[in-house]
Amino acid sequence: MGDMTNSDFYSKNQRNESSHGGEFGCTMEELRSLMELRGTEAVVKIKETYGDTEAICRRLKTSPVEGLPGTAPDLEKRKQIFGQNFIPPKKPKTFLQLVWEALQDVTLIILEIAAIISLGLSFYHPPGEGNEGCATAQGGAEDEGEAEAGWIEGAAILLSVICVVLVTAFNDWSKEKQFRGLQSRIEQEQKFTVVRAGQVVQIPVAEIVVGDIAQVKYGDLLPADGLFIQGNDLKIDESSLTGESDQVRKSVDKDPMLLSGTHVMEGSGRMLVTAVGVNSQTGIIFTLLGAGGEEEEKKDKKGKMQDGNVDASQSKAKQQDGAAAMEMQPLKSAEGGDADDRKKASMHKKEKSVLQGKLTKLAVQIGKAGLVMSAITVIILVLYFTVDTFVVNKKPWLPECTPVYVQYFVKFFIIGVTVLVVAVPEGLPLAVTISLAYSVKKMMKDNNLVRHLDACETMGNATAICSDKTGTLTTNRMTVVQAYVGDVHYKEIPDPSSINTKTMELLVNAIAINSAYTTKILPPEKEGALPRQVGNKTECGLLGFVLDLKQDYEPVRSQMPEEKLYKVYTFNSVRKSMSTVIKLPDESFRMYSKGASEIVLKKCCKILNGAGEPRVFRPRDRDEMVKKVIEPMACDGLRTICVAYRDFPSSPEPDWDNENDILNDLTCICVVGIEDPVRPEVPEAIRKCQRAGITVRMVTGDNINTARAIAIKCGIIHPGEDFLCLEGKEFNRRIRNEKGEIEQERIDKIWPKLRVLARSSPTDKHTLVKGIIDSTHTEQRQVVAVTGDGTNDGPALKKADVGFAMGIAGTDVAKEASDIILTDDNFSSIVKAVMWGRNVYDSISKFLQFQLTVNVVAVIVAFTGACITQDSPLKAVQMLWVNLIMDTFASLALATEPPTETLLLRKPYGRNKPLISRTMMKNILGHAVYQLALIFTLLFVGEKMFQIDSGRNAPLHSPPSEHYTIIFNTFVMMQLFNEINARKIHGERNVFDGIFRNPIFCTIVLGTFAIQIVIVQFGGKPFSCSPLQLDQWMWCIFIGLGELVWGQVIATIPTSRLKFLKEAGRLTQKEEIPEEELNEDVEEIDHAERELRRGQILWFRGLNRIQTQIEVVNTFKSGASFQGALRRQSSVTSQSQDVANLSSPSRVSLSNALSSPTSLPPAAAGHPRREGVP
């Protein structure tokens, strides 16, 4: 069913419909065309065609109150006629498509071409073959055996290319598969409330059928199209369909159309489902996308059904090997389309993740170095050959010799490409992918459902967490523990007999009627457990209070069903209260109100006394009550709710739309204190965060005293510390200037000390998050994580670097905006996410440390070898094998290290900490020195040590020499043992620590060792190996083991002494593309492809500027050629006067040389790159 394309799906429905249309009073077509109308048109159409919504219910054989009978045959029939509520997903990419994509890689293409040329030439025997006149270069000569085995090299290169491609494709494929699994898991978890046979039940969204009566409430994402049949104050955000950001008010007589994919922002109600799946408005759009998608496929490879983000990171990863090649493309519109590019690029949801930025940059730098080295190698080989042949030996160029020479040149080219292959770390994207995919899989077990892959790694950099209070830090199980009724403050639940009967009746009615009827308290599932709370937790607390007073709310509700409620003012973040108006038997009206005590009490002018009679309640009484009752409750960490009522005469009927007049002159019935206990594991989790250098801030809608009390219980604030607790109003007053605009400087004064923000609105939360992220106040730019569960948290979740949504309490809107969903709503899962994030970062650093050592050594060996002996000591096939262990296997082994608690003992890396720290640089260079020393010793005096024939300048017709085999074997052994060294990157001594907790690592090391034995002993011609004796093997392993000892030696050298070591892979402060705030609310489809292209241009432009600037900085630092540098820089500095005032895209602070931090301007537009600066 899932694979059926949209069109089949559609036509199938058409066929069914024609045959069954008669069973119901309206066909699918009619309903579909009805749903395409909006507002008054729709109302008119309903009137003309059907009469009213009731009539449509009758035609669809459903009841507005009871819902569908819910019998299986009936549901089946509805599914057949009107379709199912699911949209067939787009076909995933086939394995072959992925293989084709992996083949697009530039380095691989170069290799393939080289291999094919090599193969072609090995089968082509030119007539001049035996001609004595043709020159032969020593050592590089073809011999008998090689002439027959000439094709082996080409074939082996092709084979290894195939290996790399298959591994990459398989990775992409499993990633896609995992991702789809994740998607379907998210979809399965989405349930919706419908009424069937008079019972309110939750069913999976896919089970909804036409004719269902669905209950919609604040925060829902509508799963199907429908007609609004009853409800109150329903406001819908239809921007996902119409692009209009204003909320649309729905009512039965003005605009009853509810469309799938839109968000309920306020209110509640019921809808009659009229179109599902491919026939709903969203479905129709997807169908169009699917149909038009075939041609579009080439243009935008992303189905909107997928998150796109994963694909984006995947294609970013792909880009990396191509980095070297892309570097060579001209930077289009380097001066021109700057602003335009930026606008487009910033449409993307978040900036390129920190890690990807650093990696791209590193890959480009390494790629450049590799290109230069390989070019030099080829040039030297060619020059040496031509000079030696045609100048020194004065041989003429004979036409019949041309093929022979070409063969030499191809051989040199292959050596050059091999150097390049070893230099470019194509394992890098692989390591990132594996590491992220592995982490995501494991994070599922830790209750983190990751929606965007890069969020996982960003989390490791987090420096601040802004958390909600309710449900995240607390258990979200509300119970009333104190009450103030009839002039008495009860410290625990009062005895029912002590409360006046009149007051009691008012209290029970006020609570039972003025709360969502979907909120209930159900008997416990297990014996001895607590009663289950369903619906809004605060209301559950109040209903629980009614039950504790030995009363029952059910009879009151059945006597006054939801349809009879006259008017409802639903709760929203502005009102902070909820009110319900009912018509009494004598035609007069009564309104019940409840809400935050300080807000509702301000509107009270009477209060019920002990006898149940209203008495006057003056402002000074109120102040006293706040002091004596509300503040003590709040200081115990209780949330205070005031319950009140007001009577209205029957005529004249009040103007219900004038809220200010209606919500006034209330009579207070009681004030209750509701406790929401702190989750037991939260204080420990917060302590871990603080130890890890992460500041936890609490942002809540609660009263400031309540918030402060809870913050102390959680350990967010410690008595006696210097911190701020602010209310939303005060916060706004402090951050805005006279004109009411928000100023970043003002926010910078507040946020470092702010720990609790109480009575905050969603905009305050968004302002705070944005303020912290945009702040340049600290030397590290802050990386902010935000948790949220309500619809109103959407903007803050989107703005944050990582948004966590609550899986249980969270609304659909919050989940849509988030990056990670906490499936158990628990704060301590966030700490796990931090641990995994840091682990990803470390895994990649470990891999880099290992990879770069190999790269440095292999490139230098191949390069010097080629220059001195005209033949690389490591052959192309051997290099590819080394490349395979280094890249693919090592990335597997090092990327799957499980995280440990020790990760939480260090401070976050932040945005501008380089990927390769000084310690790592020390390790890389240190090990490279050891390896090079030994390899060159073996190369030049190895034959004397082992008493074997020298492999250098071997005469013609020589089989693979033992000498070169020993070099190759030793090289691989050293890499193997260095892989164990690479497990630690912070200079720890014990590299074996926890090695057995990672079975993958052990398997790979042993496996590589086994394969190496096979290659050396039986590899023969293709691998240019000759079998070794046991003592020779022992020596190779012994030299390899030396790596571990040498590692300890390196660890002893204090890094602080090595000032000359540079770090690499650093992001400078402003290197991220500035994000235009205008696009905040733009519908965010992942423009991954476009963004990538723009991204590349901007990146490379940025890289060029920054490289120039870093060079300048270094010159300044060294201070030697200070004047010279200044003179050279003058072309740039002359502009810094104009630009200094603007915020420059890249800022580098010059620490040592200049006392004041200077902001350097962007590189002059005219000079794309000045090579002159050292």
Side-chain angles (χ1 to χ4, degrees), residues 1080-1116:
E1080 279 278 275
D1081 305 310
V1082 179
E1083 221 314 75
E1084 293 173 339
I1085 304 169
D1086 217 334
H1087 300 284
E1089 292 290 289
R1090 179 162 81 193
E1091 191 259 343
L1092 260 169
R1093 216 153 299 129
R1094 306 270 174 209
Q1096 280 161 25
I1097 296 172
L1098 285 172
W1099 267 105
F1100 290 124
R1101 192 177 313 144
L1103 289 182
N1104 284 340
R1105 285 175 185 171
I1106 281 131
Q1107 278 157 351
T1108 312
Q1109 283 154 10
I1110 287 174
E1111 287 159 356
V1112 177
V1113 176
N1114 290 340
T1115 318
F1116 276 5

Side-chain angles (χ1 to χ4, degrees), residues 871-943:
D871 187 17
S872 165
L874 297 172
K875 300 287 181 287
V877 182
Q878 293 175 352
M879 287 277 221
L880 284 164
W881 159 239
V882 168
N883 211 23
L884 199 69
I885 37 173
M886 298 319 105
D887 283 359
T888 317
F889 295 157
S891 62
L892 254 175
L894 292 168
T896 51
E897 287 274 311
T900 54
E901 286 283 332
T902 46
L903 287 169
L904 293 174
L905 297 177
R906 60 169 176 75
K907 298 278 174 272
Y909 284 150
R911 283 179 183 266
N912 17 13
K913 160 107 173 37
L915 264 182
I916 299 175
S917 60
R918 280 229 170 92
T919 317
M920 288 167 61
M921 211 46 148
K922 176 182 76 176
N923 291 344
I924 291 172
L925 296 177
H927 287 295
V929 166
Y930 173 83
Q931 298 186 7
L932 286 170
L934 281 163
I935 285 181
F936 283 132
T937 312
L938 286 175
L939 181 59
F940 295 112
V941 294
E943 70 272 25

Side-chain angles (χ1 to χ4, degrees), residues 919 922-923 926-927 981 986-991 1043-1058:
T919 317
K922 176 182 76 176
N923 291 344
H927 287 295
N981 273 335
H986 297 295
E988 296 92 331
R989 291 255 168 207
N990 179 6
V991 289
E1043 269 287 342
L1044 293 174
V1045 183
W1046 184 249
Q1048 296 302 315
V1049 175
I1050 295 178
T1052 320
I1053 306 169
T1055 313
S1056 48
R1057 289 287 168 77
L1058 307 169

Side-chain angles (χ1 to χ4, degrees), residues 477-532:
R477 194 186 164 80
M478 312 274 191
T479 37
V480 173
V481 288
Q482 295 186 21
Y484 178 89
V485 189
D487 293 341
V488 190
H489 184 177
Y490 298 94
K491 292 285 185 177
E492 60 261 345
I493 299 287
D495 186 72
S497 57
S498 64
I499 296 176
N500 178 293
T501 48
K502 269 203 233 158
T503 313
M504 184 68 99
E505 191 194 351
L506 269 169
L507 180 60
V508 173
N509 276 332
I511 291 176
I513 292 172
N514 186 27
S515 57
Y517 279 30
T518 48
T519 304
K520 308 190 195 41
I521 292 194
L522 302 177
E525 284 178 336
K526 294 191 206 71
E527 277 296 306
L530 293 164
R532 279 184 302 155

Side-chain angles (χ1 to χ4, degrees), residues 138-298:
Q138 51 188 9
E142 300 276 312
D143 53 49
E144 294 294 279
E146 266 199 26
E148 274 103 67
W151 60 273
I152 290 180
E153 189 172 40
I157 296 179
L158 278 183
L159 194 72
S160 53
V161 166
I162 291 169
C163 274
V164 174
V165 167
L166 288 180
V167 169
T168 320
F170 179 73
N171 252 310
D172 289 349
W173 178 77
S174 59
K175 192 163 64 183
E176 175 126 335
K177 189 166 147 229
Q178 244 179 354
F179 182 69
R180 282 187 180 260
L182 193 84
Q183 278 298 91
S184 63
R185 183 173 157 175
I186 295 178
E187 277 159 22
Q188 275 155 18
E189 281 183 356
Q190 202 190 357
K191 294 224 182 335
F192 210 77
T193 317
V194 297
V195 181
R196 285 197 179 161
Q199 290 296 311
V200 178
V201 288
Q202 286 219 321
I203 58 170
V205 169
E207 295 296 310
I208 294 176
V209 294
V210 171
D212 258 324
I213 303 294
Q215 290 194 340
V216 295
K217 60 178 188 312
Y218 156 85
D220 281 342
L221 180 70
L222 298 183
D225 290 354
L227 296 174
F228 182 52
I229 48 179
Q230 172 263 321
N232 32 59
D233 244 7
L234 195 67
K235 287 193 186 152
I236 306 267
D237 169 14
E238 295 190 343
S239 56
S240 56
L241 284 179
T242 60
E244 308 276 334
S245 57
D246 298 342
Q247 295 175 11
V248 186
R249 203 185 190 123
K250 298 289 179 189
S251 62
V252 180
D253 44 6
K254 293 209 178 60
D255 182 2
M257 313 309 269
L258 299 177
L259 307 171
S260 57
T262 59
H263 291 130
V264 182
M265 299 313 273
E266 214 176 285
S268 61
R270 293 181 167 200
M271 78 168 185
L272 163 70
V273 178
T274 53
V276 293
V278 279
N279 303 309
S280 66
Q281 293 302 304
T282 317
I284 291 170
I285 293 174
F286 276 137
T287 317
L288 293 174
L289 282 179
E294 310 304 307
E295 307 86 70
E296 284 293 306
E297 188 100 58
K298 317 284 183 300

Side-chain angles (χ1 to χ4, degrees), residues 1028-1040:
L1028 298 179
Q1029 314 299 319
L1030 188 63
D1031 58 328
Q1032 293 167 335
W1033 264 102
M1034 283 300 132
W1035 272 105
C1036 293
I1037 293 173
F1038 173 70
I1039 294 175

Side-chain angles (χ1 to χ4, degrees), residues 315-468:
S315 34
K316 276 175 198 156
K318 290 260 179 50
Q319 242 49 39
Q320 308 211 320
D321 326 15
M326 286 178 333
E327 213 12 71
M328 300 182 279
Q329 298 168 357
L331 298 179
K332 299 183 204 65
S333 73
E335 288 78 43
D338 213 68
D340 171 58
D341 282 355
R342 262 183 210 167
K343 244 184 221 98
K344 297 244 174 59
S346 61
M347 294 274 291
H348 189 48
K349 173 167 189 244
K350 293 200 172 126
E351 304 155 342
K352 191 170 204 163
S353 82
V354 184
L355 184 65
Q356 255 152 4
K358 291 179 180 176
L359 282 176
T360 312
K361 188 166 175 189
L362 200 69
V364 169
Q365 288 168 341
I366 297 174
K368 274 186 180 168
L371 258 178
V372 172
M373 292 296 277
S374 61
I376 296 177
T377 315
V378 173
I379 291 169
I380 289 182
L381 285 171
V382 170
L383 281 178
Y384 191 99
F385 176 74
T386 44
V387 169
D388 190 58
T389 311
F390 302 123
V391 180
V392 180
N393 297 335
K394 299 199 169 51
K395 295 228 167 106
W397 179 297
L398 302 169
E400 60 268 25
C401 291
T402 308
V404 183
Y405 296 146
V406 170
Q407 219 155 348
Y408 276 117
F409 291 146
V410 168
K411 183 167 184 163
F412 298 150
F413 180 60
I414 287 180
I415 292 176
V417 173
T418 317
V419 174
L420 177 66
V421 175
V422 178
V424 175
E426 42 303 330
L428 214 65
L430 199 67
V432 181
T433 309
I434 292 175
S435 180
L436 284 175
Y438 172 76
S439 304
V440 167
K441 212 170 190 158
K442 288 275 186 273
M443 280 168 82
M444 285 291 242
K445 291 198 178 72
D446 284 339
N447 303 311
N448 283 302
L449 193 132
V450 183
R451 292 183 64 231
H452 297 141
L453 270 184
D454 49 359
C456 158
E457 145 263 317
T458 314
M459 204 47 222
N461 284 327
T463 54
I465 297 175
C466 293
S467 171
D468 261 8

